[in-house]
């Protein structure tokens, strides 16, 4: 474990992934923004800053809260379905999405919103005590608190727990191996499929996300699922959905799960209507027609769009209603009992013992209250 993993809550934590430029500025190398900082200046994410001759992560050990969720809420439908996950995030974000659904956390500029805190081992111990199968870094993007996430992941693995990154995948080539080598699963938010969409609505670019996805699939064993939030009039045309789905199928593989999720009016796009269920169902049909085997609808009540089907014979294998598993028909090897086709994913002991799934509960958990610094 990193030598700084035991640092006290709220301590000035030295950041990794940076170098000094010839003009004296410090360049943060964590994400494609490559922020170049003068003394006492913060990066675009707000939580990484230069303090004198140091680069700091200002949110190490502090969280916006801890909660136990069903793994399907991340969303991960093929990663130990029915299991529980201890979820937490911090503050800030390295994207600037006008439609952010967690903007009160990701766009916070007040570190006093970080109401809970814990060391890496305390988080792992809490997850184990509550019977969680994994710990998820979510709510805001874990890339920006990579050092904290890595230390927590190491503590989790030492206790036999899995780790999950819920991320936009906006990370630099020099940092992504270090970060994802500590993750067992990732749900990557592929926000759209045009650079124009990323530039105008996210303040970022598409290609670095595609590079991360391609690298994850080809170079790692991280279990990968994707989510695309469909926003009416922005990224929901048949053409864009078809292009996105074709890229996923041809580049990542037909068995990579894709979740189309419903937008609700929020943040700087409060005047845009919510995504109709018909839009999600249309997107699901298009994606399946391109060859994708596992396509889901999210943030809506749609049992058919929640259910996992066999890619071989079409049998319903995991029937869901929201986050509740109504029927689980995989054998102990994670295969269809009718035709023997393996369902892509990670199952093992949790899946085999799914007789008592966690369900749709949400359990807030308090660890500590940090002192203001």
């Amino acid at each position: 474990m990193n030598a700084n993993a035991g640092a006290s809550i709220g301590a000035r934590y030295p950041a990794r992934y940076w170098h000094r430029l010839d003009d004296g500025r410090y360049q943060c190398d964590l994400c494609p923004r490559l922020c170049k900082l003068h003394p006492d200046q913060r990066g675009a994410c707000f939580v990484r800053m230069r303090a004198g001759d140091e680069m700091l992560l200002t949110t190490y050990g502090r969280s916006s809260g801890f909660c136990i969720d069903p793994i399907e809420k991340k969303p991960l439908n093929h990663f130990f379905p029915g299991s529980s996950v201890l979820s937490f995030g911090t503050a800030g974000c390295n994207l600037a999405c006008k439609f952010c659904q967690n903007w009160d956390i990701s766009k916070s500029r007040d570190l006093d919103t970080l109401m809970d805190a814990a060391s890496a081992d305390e988080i792992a111990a809490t997850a184990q005590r509550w019977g969680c199968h994994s710990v998820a870094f979510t709510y805001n993007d874990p890339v920006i608190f990579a050092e904290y996430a890595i230390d927590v992941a190491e503590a989790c693995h030492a206790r036999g727990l899995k780790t999950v990154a819920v991320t936009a995948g906006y990370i630099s080539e020099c940092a992504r191996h270090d970060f994802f080598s500590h993750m067992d699963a990732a749900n990557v938010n592929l926000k759209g499929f045009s650079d124009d969409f990323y530039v105008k609505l996210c303040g970022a670019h598409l290609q670095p996300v595609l590079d991360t996805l391609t690298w994850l699939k080809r170079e790692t064993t991280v279990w990968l699922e994707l989510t695309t939030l469909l926003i009416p009039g922005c990224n929901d045309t048949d053409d864009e959905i078809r292009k996105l789905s074709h890229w996923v199928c041809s580049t990542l593989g037909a068995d990579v799960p894709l979740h189309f999720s419903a937008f609700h009016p929020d943040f700087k796009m409060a005047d845009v209507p919510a995504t109709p269920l018909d839009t999600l169902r249309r997107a699901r049909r298009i994606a399946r027609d391109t060859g994708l085997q596992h396509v889901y609808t999210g943030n809506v009540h749609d049992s058919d769009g929640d259910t996992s089907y066999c890619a071989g014979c079409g049998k319903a294998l995991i029937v869901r209603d929201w986050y509740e598993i109504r029927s689980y028909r995989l054998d102990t090897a994670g295969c269809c009992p009718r035709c023997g086709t393996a369902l892509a994913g990670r199952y093992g002991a949790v899946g085999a013992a799914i007789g008592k799934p966690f369900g749709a509960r949400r359990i807030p958990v308090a660890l500590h209250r940090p002192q203001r610094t």
Side-chain angles (χ1 to χ4, degrees):
M1 184 176 293
N2 182 276
N4 291 312
S8 61
I9 302 303
R12 292 164 62 93
Y13 192 90
R16 308 169 207 167
Y17 319 112
W18 64 276
H19 72 278
R20 183 186 178 99
L21 299 173
D22 290 342
D23 63 7
R25 292 179 298 170
Y26 287 5
Q27 177 174 299
C28 179
D29 299 318
L30 179 62
C31 89
R33 288 188 175 279
L34 303 177
C35 294
K36 299 169 179 61
L37 307 178
H38 295 286
D40 301 320
Q41 188 176 11
R42 293 177 181 268
C45 66
F46 184 70
V47 301
R48 305 181 78 85
M49 71 173 294
R50 178 181 174 183
D53 293 330
E54 294 182 285
M55 279 285 287
L56 304 176
L57 170 60
T58 61
T59 54
Y60 187 99
R62 300 177 66 181
S63 170
S64 56
F66 296 86
C67 189
I68 299 174
D69 297 313
I71 192 67
E72 286 81 4
K73 196 173 182 179
K74 296 306 97 187
L76 289 170
N77 282 358
H78 293 240
F79 187 74
F80 302 100
S83 65
S84 60
V85 55
L86 179 64
S87 303
F88 78 96
T90 60
C93 188
N94 59 339
L95 269 66
C97 299
K98 295 180 180 180
F99 51 87
C100 184
Q101 310 281 281
N102 290 322
W103 64 270
D104 54 332
I105 296 172
S106 66
K107 301 307 176 187
S108 174
R109 294 296 184 265
D110 180 2
L111 296 186
D112 288 333
T113 61
L114 301 180
M115 297 302 293
D116 215 337
S119 69
D121 193 62
E122 285 172 322
I123 294 172
T126 299
Q128 187 176 57
R129 185 168 63 251
W130 280 86
C132 297
H133 186 261
S134 55
V135 169
F137 312 104
T138 181
Y139 305 142
N140 71 317
D141 202 304
V143 164
I144 65 168
F145 60 93
E147 295 87 351
Y148 188 29
I150 288 170
D151 287 347
V152 173
E154 288 183 340
C156 288
H157 290 155
R159 292 176 178 268
L161 302 172
K162 303 296 184 183
T163 53
V164 173
V166 181
T167 174
Y170 210 61
I171 187 170
S172 67
E173 183 177 357
C174 76
R176 67 189 181 196
H177 179 271
D178 195 18
F179 179 77
F180 284 110
S181 67
H182 293 85
M183 302 300 152
D184 297 293
N187 185 292
V188 178
N189 192 337
L190 180 55
K191 296 175 183 290
F193 206 66
S194 73
D195 198 56
D196 186 64
F197 177 91
Y198 265 85
V199 170
K200 291 181 178 178
L201 294 184
C202 306
H205 291 280
L206 172 62
Q207 192 59 51
V209 181
L210 300 183
D211 291 343
T212 295
L213 289 170
T214 303
W215 176 84
L216 275 170
K217 184 62 179 180
R218 296 179 180 177
E219 305 295 334
T220 79
T221 60
V222 176
W223 175 250
L224 176 64
E225 301 191 24
L226 308 181
T227 296
T228 298
L229 184 76
L230 291 181
I231 306 171
C234 297
N235 64 348
D236 63 341
T237 65
D238 287 6
D239 184 58
E240 182 160 348
I241 292 167
R242 189 174 294 109
K243 288 178 179 177
L244 183 153
S245 302
H246 177 74
W247 183 87
V248 172
C249 189
S250 62
T251 305
L252 305 182
D255 61 350
V256 172
L258 172 60
H259 303 254
F260 288 114
S261 187
F263 163 87
H264 65 264
D266 213 335
F267 197 39
K268 296 181 179 180
M269 297 183 68
D271 57 340
V272 177
T275 310
L277 176 57
D278 285 349
T279 296
L280 300 180
R281 288 175 171 169
R282 170 173 55 85
R284 183 168 179 257
R285 287 194 300 270
I286 292 170
R288 294 179 69 174
D289 286 346
T290 66
L292 288 175
Q293 297 167 354
H294 308 295
V295 188
Y296 300 97
T297 54
N299 290 348
V300 293
H301 188 223
D302 181 24
S303 183
D304 184 54
D306 289 335
T307 296
S308 298
Y309 293 92
C310 176
C313 67
K315 180 181 178 65
L317 298 178
I318 306 175
V319 179
R320 300 181 181 86
D321 186 4
W322 287 101
Y323 305 121
E324 295 278 1
I325 292 181
R326 300 301 188 189
S327 176
Y328 185 90
R329 295 168 182 153
L330 289 177
D331 64 20
T332 55
C335 297
C336 173
R338 175 190 289 172
C339 70
T341 300
L343 183 64
R346 306 285 186 267
Y347 303 99
V350 174
I354 204 65
K356 192 176 181 180
F358 180 74
R361 292 173 290 165
R362 183 178 187 273
I363 305 174
V365 177
L367 277 70
H368 294 290
R369 296 298 178 192
Q371 294 182 351
R372 297 186 179 185
T373 56

